[in-house]
Amino acid sequence: MSDKVRVRFAPSPTGFFHIGSARTALFNWLYAKHTGGTFVLRIEDTDGERNREEYLNILKNGMRWLGLDWDEGPDVGGDYGPYFQSQRENIYLEFLEILRKKGRAYDKDGAVFFKVSGEKQILHDAVYGDVARIEEKDFPIFRSNGTPVFHFVNVVDDICMKITDVIRGQDHLTNTNKHIELFKAFDAPMPQFAHIPLILKSEGQGKMSKRDRGALIEEYQAKNFLPEAVRNYLCMLGWNPKNDKEIMDIGEIIKLFDFHGIVKSNARFDERKMAHFNTEHLRALPADKFCELAAASMKRDFTGMEEYANKVFALCQPKALNLEAFPSMVDFFFDDSYAFDPVAKEKVFKKGDPIARLVEIREMLKSESNFDGQALHDKICEAAESKGLKLAEYFSPLRLAVSGLAGGPDMVPMLDLLGGGRVSKRIDRALSELS
Ligand code: GLU
């Protein structure tokens, strides 16, 4: 066996691409990147009926979206194909012959059984340590309908594909003893096993399943999450960089990723934390990249107003929560007929006399020939001080009037971007609609 690391992600595409599978793919990919090894995608589709083309496409699409490109496998080929188990029947029959010749396979009730050694096997797991077990019973490797069984094809493929490291979910830990028996029966080099902890659902007990909210990669694609944010969050489900940092660049993660950082305890999926990672990544994007994504998130044509739009996006980037909500946060910059948010309105009208304050601000604007957001801001501050009023009694109604919202970007640059004419018109509309 060559020294070069070869890892594989071996999904059975019988359903949508969920967080747990994506995390397994990711850890394999990270390990390949970390070691300069090869990442193989192998499709374990021996369970014919349930493996649908549609699921395979969702899987490949999700992996590509997450940036988990494979070096060998479907669409890209490689020297150890075919990469679909459904196309490897001849190979399985050859390997069955080897076992028969060694007296390690026999027929019973139409099925083919593997004869176990009866010896104690020790699994040296890179994460869970040594696990000693004796495989007591012979187990089937071909069903009576002639199809090969998971344990057999999984090991045969790992041998043929020269897999050096098997990184997979902890739910396979109990299968591994069977796999060790098979590797030994074939006199094949044993890969290093690294089982990774389960992902528990966000609340209560139990493993995260495909039915749990937030469990599918497609959901994050549809909600316009940043793939690098989802990927970053998945890295932290069962791996600990031990540097008190979680929001990290993938290059840095690749450098640090190894089996020592994988934790044994189960990880808990936290949708809010995922959202937080997304926000952090969004705010940290270079301005030009952010502007591009922000523009794409809006169903508007910015032709002829690119400069203005980019200024709006750049101003709002530090306040952006996610790309899904972003359009509703900045729409007022592009549309004069925005609605006044009822919750914001109620909040503003709870305190003081917002209408009177707006009338005052409207007067200040009249006396100004060259609109300047900072100058208006300063005037408002003076007025508030002289009347002994809180600044918010002016600025909250002003924000509501010019944007329809309770929160948003910084006041002065927002006013400057809108410009004096629009600010005045918007206050007029607010006065007539809110009074
Ligand atoms: N097809 C198996 C699964 O999806 C692969 C297990 C393995 O990685 O060895 O769980």
Side-chain angles (χ1 to χ4, degrees), residues 91-192:
I91 299 169
Y92 302 139
L93 292 174
E94 274 171 39
F95 272 74
L96 172 59
E97 242 2 82
I98 298 175
L99 290 184
R100 284 198 195 275
K101 286 206 178 104
K102 293 187 176 198
R104 300 295 300 272
Y106 62 90
D107 301 323
K108 193 178 118 189
D109 304 330
V112 184
F113 277 74
F114 173 73
K115 194 169 163 33
V116 296
S117 68
E119 287 161 16
K120 177 154 84 183
Q121 307 293 0
I122 299 174
L123 157 65
H124 303 287
D125 192 87
V127 178
Y128 288 86
D130 287 0
V131 184
R133 282 184 59 177
I134 298 178
E135 201 61 32
E136 310 270 359
K137 285 205 295 200
D138 295 349
F139 54 89
I141 50 177
F142 277 81
R143 298 183 191 87
S144 49
N145 67 6
T147 58
V149 170
F150 162 69
H151 305 296
F152 177 76
V153 290
N154 185 264
V155 169
V156 168
D157 285 352
D158 283 344
I159 294 171
C160 294
M161 295 178 184
K162 297 201 163 54
I163 298 304
T164 59
D165 299 80
V166 171
I167 305 167
R168 62 185 173 193
Q170 191 245 48
D171 46 335
H172 284 290
L173 199 53
T174 49
N175 291 328
T176 308
N177 206 45
K178 291 190 176 72
H179 300 181
I180 292 175
E181 283 270 350
L182 284 163
F183 276 106
K184 287 192 174 169
F186 287 118
D187 287 317
M190 195 70 63
Q192 168 70 62

Side-chain angles (χ1 to χ4, degrees), residues 185-247:
F186 287 118
D187 287 317
M190 195 70 63
Q192 168 70 62
F193 289 96
H195 286 88
I196 55 184
L198 296 181
I199 302 176
L200 303 179
K201 47 183 163 199
S202 51
E203 275 152 32
Q205 298 290 307
K207 193 181 147 185
M208 179 99 173
S209 89
K210 299 170 203 205
R211 285 172 300 278
D212 289 312
R213 215 161 64 103
L216 302 180
I217 295 299
E218 300 86 288
E219 292 178 43
Y220 301 98
Q221 286 180 272
K223 284 189 193 159
N224 227 345
F225 269 61
L226 293 179
E228 62 267 37
V230 175
R231 185 175 61 191
N232 185 175
Y233 177 67
L234 292 180
C235 288
M236 302 304 156
L237 285 178
W239 176 72
N240 186 340
K242 300 191 177 117
N243 62 0
D244 293 326
K245 262 202 326 194
E246 288 199 306
I247 310 285

Side-chain angles (χ1 to χ4, degrees), residues 298 300 302 305 308-309 312-313 330-336:
M298 303 190 57
R300 278 186 187 280
F302 296 107
M305 56 185 311
Y308 172 71
V312 167
F313 299 151
V330 295
D331 228 34
F332 72 86
F333 278 105
F334 306 98
D335 184 357
D336 293 323

